[in-house]
Amino acid sequence: MKDSSPQPLRVLHLAAPAEAGGLESVVRSLAVGHHGAGLSVKVVALVEPRDKEHPLVTSLREAGVDVLQLELSGRAYLEERRVVRRLATAWEPDVIHTHGERSDVLHIGAARRMGVPAVTTVHGSSRLGGKARLHVPIQLLNLRRFDAVVAVSRPLHRSLSGLWVSENHLHLVPNAWDGARPAKDREGARRALRLDPDSYVLGWVGRMIPVKGGDIFLRAAAQLDDAAATSCMIGDGLERARLEALASSLRLNGRVSFAGAVDRAAELMPAFDIFVLSSRSEGTPVVLFEAMAAGVPIVATEVGGVPDVLSGAHAVLVPPGDPAALARGIRAVMAAPAQAAERARAAERKLQEEFASEVWLQRYEAVYRQAICSRGGPNASLSRSEQAANR
């Protein structure tokens, strides 16, 4: 007798996460959200050998998501492909969802050989440098092999449409807020970051790679000589040593602190009087949602999906790549705290009204269903597990 009860969609996420960032936040929100909604979710985190569990793995495990930390050398391409294919074959997912250049390049082949619908989210322009930059052109060439490609911002969607991805396989799904609010108050957050409780603090959070514009932030801070402000940069990456050297050359010693990579950095947003996003390029930055949820005034470069999240009613927006413009934006917030507080309240309201995760999760499930349907067959709208239950 066949089982007529509905079978959960089985989704396998593959990602090579950094310590923290937008990609990592999206993977976590998708996995936790869909797990809570009844989907069967498994995440494989592909990381370099390390002494402790990756923060993404820990947070997923704490949320009850089935997650595996797979430790392999960054050069072990063939071994990684073999192991992932073996895991995917054993688990029999209905959809394989890859995140990031490395996962896209290495594992689309496994999905194709298994006949499993493949979905990728293009999170934005990373421009990591080093060996990682070699994955980007290969990733773009491989995008047409996916059954569905998700772009997280309108500019990214426009840049991919037609040239790299056929329109019927491309989906615009801006990122969403997971509903989390900072657990720490201003005093607790400053204590955790070892910041003066009474100082005026400019905050920057991100991966220290060129596209995030840490150098622009520091050059803007150097133009605030007459302002009683200090700066705190949270994050790590390839550019950290260069940024520390730049801070010294700009004579910012004593006026900027480098906190390094911090678990759950979103909880520390209340430590800042202004959150500054200085990126040269972006998708839809999750870090903006974290600042909005904390009620912190924002100064941001008008790039990528930022204007879809914020307008002049919610933040001070400035052109990218211009330290002087960024400094003027910071000064404007410092000079008019009442107006800055009102913009922060408006941003928080918009976050609640327009970027809640429920609809976002439904849209991703619809993308999965459409990817399954695109594979064809009489029961194409059903997952493999649902087809098996109907036999």
Side-chain angles (χ1 to χ4, degrees), residues 193-277:
L193 289 170
R194 300 179 179 178
L195 296 173
D196 184 336
D198 299 319
S199 61
Y200 195 98
V201 179
L202 313 177
W204 186 98
V205 180
R207 295 171 70 186
M208 291 182 173
I209 55 178
V211 72
K212 296 300 182 180
D215 58 321
I216 298 170
F217 172 71
L218 290 173
R219 293 184 188 282
Q223 296 184 32
L224 303 172
D225 284 338
D226 60 336
T230 60
S231 301
C232 177
M233 300 186 74
I234 297 177
D236 211 339
L238 299 174
E239 282 224 310
R240 178 168 176 177
R242 192 176 79 84
L243 292 176
E244 290 177 338
L246 177 62
S248 180
S249 70
L250 293 171
R251 299 182 180 179
L252 288 172
N253 296 334
R255 291 174 50 201
V256 59
S257 61
F258 289 82
V262 177
D263 290 348
R264 303 176 194 212
E267 295 189 0
L268 303 178
M269 282 287 181
F272 305 143
D273 293 286
I274 304 176
F275 170 73
V276 182
L277 185 137

Side-chain angles (χ1 to χ4, degrees), residues 28 31-33 35-36 57-66:
R28 185 189 185 283
V32 173
H35 170 72
V57 173
T58 301
S59 66
L60 289 170
R61 202 182 306 283
E62 289 174 350
V65 175
D66 184 4

Side-chain angles (χ1 to χ4, degrees), residues 200 297 331-345:
Y200 195 98
R331 286 185 188 279
V333 173
M334 296 179 71
Q339 292 92 322
E342 178 51 41
R343 284 193 296 267
R345 287 190 291 270

Side-chain angles (χ1 to χ4, degrees), residues 163-176:
L163 178 61
W164 301 108
V165 186
S166 60
E167 291 188 8
N168 60 323
H169 286 172
L170 183 61
H171 306 265
L172 173 62
V173 186
N175 293 334

Side-chain angles (χ1 to χ4, degrees), residues 121-125 150-161 170 172 281-284 304-305:
T121 296
V122 182
H123 294 271
S125 175
V150 175
V152 301
S153 70
R154 294 181 191 278
L156 194 55
H157 184 274
R158 286 194 297 268
S159 71
L160 295 174
S161 181
L170 183 61
L172 173 62
S281 177
E282 278 289 355
T284 298

Side-chain angles (χ1 to χ4, degrees), residues 46-102:
L46 305 149
V47 301
E48 293 271 358
R50 52 194 292 130
D51 296 331
K52 60 182 180 179
E53 192 170 73
H54 191 281
L56 174 62
V57 173
T58 301
S59 66
L60 289 170
R61 202 182 306 283
E62 289 174 350
V65 175
D66 184 4
V67 58
L68 172 66
Q69 177 167 301
L70 181 58
E71 297 186 15
L72 291 168
S73 165
R75 297 180 180 180
Y77 299 116
L78 294 178
E79 183 180 1
E80 180 178 320
R81 292 172 72 173
R82 284 195 297 268
V83 172
V84 167
R85 186 178 181 186
R86 186 170 67 247
L87 290 170
T89 301
W91 197 62
E92 296 186 328
D94 297 310
V95 175
I96 292 177
H97 189 164
T98 60
H99 302 264
E101 296 91 350
R102 182 185 178 99

